């Protein structure tokens, strides 16, 4: 048990058989108290009942015996965590039991390594009747504290609100080693099967601990956690009642290949032959001063399109028509680059990266990125210049490519800068031998715009995405939502809502109001039928270094449900959300 508080901060940068299904059905939280209705009767969608609290039946020291005996599950340790030991932002979590364990331990016949799905489950002594599956980011690979922390600030989390919360390593460790992708089962666990193993076990554990299954179950995460959320919503719409996805990288293999494609283009501009082999060298292609220059140019053309010159581009769509990199950013003359201009070669490369990665024949690999003031955010460099050579190089080589690369002597930078993009794009959809599912098969949600089963049982989904996100494009998420709307008579707002966050980078940060709570409105929507409209977000002055000094530290803005835009009403403080309306 910890004796000092640890603080949960913002999210960081990226088949069971019939027995399991029967176990899940017995565990509650599946909305069986509301009968399905036809898809064309959106006005009569079921209303799920609210969760009711319960107290832990006995103490934490009794849980080890109570939870024992579940198939394939080992409870390693149970301990009592005092109130206030875990903090989300500055809010203390209640006293709870920490259950640590693992499932499905095995030795791989492919790489000889030992694997298991590690987890921790936190069970409040005073429980609100709800379960939260915390989907973690990056490559998973670590059992991080199961506090239910959210993207953005965050303002709150599931544990501090009294949820039972689980987190896991998704079936492999450590989180810095992508070579787990050599093992076919580890790939599948990372993609979706760890969730399928953990969910029935967690709900059964809750039933044993409290004498009843969770009344309502929620699933959430940002980045890869947002991808996990999309996959769960598509594969298991009856297992959870509310889905909260941030920056959902639901086309993660495509985005990773696109990142390498962008890295190769930046390398063509690097200042010296050896520079591209390091993130710092790759950044010489498009320096911080130059990114800030472009950010100012975007603001000059787009800031006032929403009615207020306030340092935020609210009307993203109008900005794409208004801003032109070639025209609106000064070109360098004979004096060369000094931070006040871009060379013609830079403009060509940067514009191509924002337009979206393609194969050698021009076929799209991933989507375009919108122009936004967030291009100047401090988190951009990591994703634009480090990720192609490190995170994405390893992920594509070992997890997403079929067959995977050999681990011995692997050099991420050499792989990324020398790879055939056409081959990488083909590799993420390929299968071979023991790799029976392609990366796009095990990582992406099947039919993500067909969520009729989720809708018709009364479940809800909320999604948020930073417009300045440099690795997973908000355009991809908006296109998903457009497809969802098209499949639901032009309006998916009865069960799913998307919120774009102007200026915000990947999950948090950027010149943005990036602090907000979407868990509370999601619960009210699921359990009380109160559909969310605008969500108020605030800036983190003094914490988020990207917040301009000219903003009030407590600036607020409404995050509007897509496709609406926050527009200035014409009067009132530019620091206050109430001066803007969603239109």
């Amino acid at each position: 048990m910890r004796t000092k508080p640890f603080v949960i901060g913002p999210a960081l940068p990226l088949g069971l058989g019939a027995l399991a299904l029967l176990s899940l059905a017995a565990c509650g939280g599946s909305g069986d108290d509301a009968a399905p209705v036809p898809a064309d009767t959106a006005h009569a969608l079921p209303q799920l009942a609210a969760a009711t609290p319960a107290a832990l039946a006995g103490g934490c020291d009794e849980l080890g015996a109570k939870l024992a005996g579940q198939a394939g599950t080992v409870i390693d340790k149970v301990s009592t965590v005092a109130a206030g030991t875990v903090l989300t932002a500055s809010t203390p979590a209640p006293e709870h039991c920490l259950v640590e364990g693992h499932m499905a331990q095995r030795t791989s016949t492919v790489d000889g390594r030992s694997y298991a799905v590690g987890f921790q489950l936190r069970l409040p002594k005073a429980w609100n009747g709800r379960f939260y599956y915390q989907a973690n980011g990056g490559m998973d690979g670590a059992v991080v504290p199961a506090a239910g922390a959210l993207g953005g600030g965050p303002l709150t989390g599931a544990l501090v609100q009294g949820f039972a919360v689980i987190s896991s390593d998704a079936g492999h460790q450590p989180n810095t080693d992508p070579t787990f992708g050599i093992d076919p089962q580890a790939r599948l666990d990372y993609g979706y099967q760890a969730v399928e193993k953990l969910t029935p076990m967690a709900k059964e554990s809750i039933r044993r601990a409290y004498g009843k299954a969770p009344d309502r179950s929620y699933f959430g995460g940002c980045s890869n956690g947002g991808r996990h959320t999309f996959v769960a919503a598509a594969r298991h719409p009856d297992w959870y009642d509310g889905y909260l996805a941030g920056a959902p990288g639901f086309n993660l293999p495509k985005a990773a290949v696109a990142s390498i494609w962008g890295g190769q283009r930046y390398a063509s501009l690097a200042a010296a032959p050896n520079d591209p082999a390091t993130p710092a060298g790759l950044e010489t292609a498009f320096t911080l001063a130059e990114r800030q220059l472009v950010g100012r140019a975007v603001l000059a053309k787009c800031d006032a399109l929403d009615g207020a010159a306030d340092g935020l581009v609210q009307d993203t769509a109008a900005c794409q028509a208004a801003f032109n990199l070639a025209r609106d950013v000064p070109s360098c003359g004979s004096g060369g680059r000094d931070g006040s201009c871009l060379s013609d070669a830079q403009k060509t490369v940067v514009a191509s990266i924002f337009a979206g990665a393609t194969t050698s024949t021009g076929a799209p690999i991933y989507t375009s990125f919108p122009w936004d003031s967030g291009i100047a955010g401090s988190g951009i460099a990591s994703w634009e210049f480090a990720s192609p050579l490190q995170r994405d190089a390893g992920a594509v080589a070992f997890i997403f490519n079929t067959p995977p690369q050999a681990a011995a002597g692997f050099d991420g930078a050499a792989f990324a800068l020398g790879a055939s993009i056409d081959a990488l794009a083909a590799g993420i959809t390929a299968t071979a031998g023991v790799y029976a599912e392609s990366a796009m098969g095990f990582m992406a949600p099947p039919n993500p715009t067909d969520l009729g089963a989720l809708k018709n049982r009364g479940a809800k989904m909320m999604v948020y995405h930073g417009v300045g996100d440099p690795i997973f494009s908000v355009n991809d998420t908006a296109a998903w939502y457009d497809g969802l709307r098209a499949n639901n008579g032009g309006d998916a707002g009865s069960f799913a809502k998307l919120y774009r966050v102007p200026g915000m980078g990947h999950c948090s940060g950027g010149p943005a109001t990036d602090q907000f709570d979407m868990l509370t409105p999601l619960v009210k929507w699921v359990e009380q039928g109160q559909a969310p409209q605008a969500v108020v977000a605030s800036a983190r002055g003094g914490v988020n270094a990207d917040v301009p000094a000219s903003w009030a530290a407590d600036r607020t803005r409404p995050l509007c449900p897509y496709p609406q835009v926050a527009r200035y009403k014409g009067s009132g403080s530019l620091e206050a959300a109430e001066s803007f309306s969603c239109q």
Side-chain angles (χ1 to χ4, degrees):
M1 184 180 80
R2 295 179 182 265
T3 57
K4 295 183 180 180
F6 61 84
V7 179
I8 306 300
L12 299 177
L14 341 120
L16 294 179
L19 180 61
L21 294 175
L22 288 172
S23 173
L24 180 68
C27 290
S30 61
D32 55 356
D33 48 10
V37 297
D40 60 353
T41 55
H43 62 283
L45 293 181
Q47 173 58 60
L48 300 179
T52 57
L56 189 72
C60 298
D61 55 350
E62 302 174 26
L63 277 179
K66 286 184 178 181
L67 304 186
Q70 298 187 66
T73 304
V74 176
I75 304 300
D76 296 314
K77 183 181 179 181
V78 179
S79 54
T80 302
V81 181
T85 303
V86 178
L87 305 175
T88 297
S90 58
T91 305
E95 183 180 14
H96 60 276
C97 304
L98 171 59
V99 180
E100 300 172 273
H102 61 276
M103 300 185 70
Q105 187 164 359
R106 62 187 176 84
T107 299
S108 170
T109 59
V110 176
D111 65 9
R113 291 163 59 176
S114 178
Y115 290 92
V117 181
F119 68 88
Q120 67 169 236
L121 176 64
R122 294 180 185 261
L123 302 171
K125 293 194 172 180
W127 176 50
N128 67 8
R130 302 179 180 97
F131 167 51
Y132 188 89
Y133 190 110
Q134 174 182 308
N136 297 317
M139 289 188 294
D140 284 293
V143 183
V144 302
L150 312 173
L155 288 173
T156 187
L159 184 65
V160 300
Q161 294 188 18
F163 286 71
V165 184
I166 195 170
S167 73
S168 88
D169 59 13
H172 62 273
Q173 292 190 10
N175 61 355
T176 56
D177 182 6
T179 61
F180 75 85
I182 295 172
D183 178 71
Q185 183 58 51
R187 286 184 170 200
L188 301 183
D189 284 338
Y190 174 54
Y192 66 96
Q193 290 187 8
V195 171
E196 295 184 339
K197 294 176 172 73
L198 289 163
T199 297
M201 180 278 299
K203 290 186 175 184
E204 172 62 14
S205 296
I206 290 169
R207 186 192 67 78
R208 296 185 185 189
Y210 296 103
K212 72 167 188 174
D215 297 315
R216 299 272 72 90
S217 296
Y218 295 82
F219 196 111
C222 197
S223 188
N224 178 55
R227 179 199 66 83
H228 277 302
T229 307
F230 266 47
V231 171
R235 287 185 177 269
H236 302 292
D238 56 337
W239 285 16
Y240 289 85
D241 307 303
Y243 300 82
L244 179 55
F250 59 97
N251 281 315
L252 199 159
K254 292 181 179 181
V257 173
S259 174
I260 292 173
W261 181 90
Q264 291 184 358
R265 272 142 189 78
Y266 283 130
S268 70
L269 299 171
N274 293 330
D275 279 348
T278 66
L282 207 60
E283 190 175 0
T284 63
F286 192 26
T287 66
L288 174 60
E290 291 165 339
R291 299 194 301 276
Q292 291 172 336
L293 170 72
V294 175
R296 290 192 297 270
V298 170
L299 285 174
K301 299 297 293 188
C302 303
D303 190 357
L305 295 175
D306 54 27
D310 59 354
L312 281 169
V313 178
Q314 303 281 0
D315 197 337
T316 298
C319 183
Q320 308 320 299
F323 178 76
N324 181 283
L325 183 70
R327 179 195 64 209
D328 298 325
V329 174
S331 294
C332 298
S334 58
R337 292 168 50 188
D338 61 2
S340 66
C341 59
L342 295 183
S343 69
D344 290 342
Q346 282 182 297
K347 288 185 176 183
T348 297
V349 165
V350 172
S352 73
I353 290 172
F354 271 76
T358 63
T359 66
S360 61
T361 62
I365 296 171
Y366 189 53
T367 190
S368 61
F369 288 80
W371 298 108
D372 179 77
S373 61
I375 192 174
S378 60
I380 300 299
S382 173
W383 292 109
E384 292 290 293
F385 311 117
S387 198
L389 309 181
Q390 299 171 353
R391 288 180 290 253
D392 291 319
V396 170
F398 299 110
I399 308 170
F400 303 148
N401 195 63
T402 300
Q405 298 289 306
F410 178 77
D411 183 321
F415 172 80
L417 297 179
S420 161
I421 296 300
D422 288 1
L424 298 186
I428 64 176
T429 60
T431 61
V434 296
Y435 305 101
E437 294 187 40
S438 72
M440 288 304 296
F442 65 75
M443 290 295 287
N447 302 314
T449 60
D450 181 8
L451 298 180
L454 182 155
K455 168 186 175 180
N456 292 332
R457 56 174 295 268
K460 310 298 181 189
M461 189 170 189
M462 292 180 69
V463 181
Y464 60 91
H465 203 144
V467 180
D469 191 325
I471 188 67
F472 300 141
S473 175
V474 70
N475 289 351
D476 201 28
T477 305
W480 159 77
Y481 194 77
D482 288 340
L484 196 65
R485 293 167 68 198
N487 284 342
N488 288 273
D491 183 7
S494 63
F495 69 99
K497 292 183 184 290
L498 166 63
Y499 295 84
R500 296 174 296 180
V501 188
M504 190 172 85
H506 187 58
C507 290
S508 63
T513 52
D514 70 336
Q515 188 175 27
F516 47 86
D517 170 18
M518 288 197 182
L519 180 58
T520 299
L522 178 61
V523 170
K524 289 182 178 179
W525 195 13
V526 169
E527 301 181 22
Q528 300 174 30
Q530 298 180 17
Q533 298 304 322
V535 173
V536 175
S538 59
R540 291 182 291 148
V543 177
N544 177 2
D546 294 327
V547 172
S550 59
W551 293 12
D554 58 352
R555 168 179 281 200
T556 56
R557 283 291 183 276
L559 304 180
C560 298
Y562 175 84
Q564 293 184 357
V565 171
R567 299 192 184 280
Y568 186 51
K569 294 178 180 178
S571 62
S573 171
L574 291 181
E575 305 300 334
E578 55 264 30
S579 301
F580 294 78
S581 63
C582 294
Q583 301 175 25

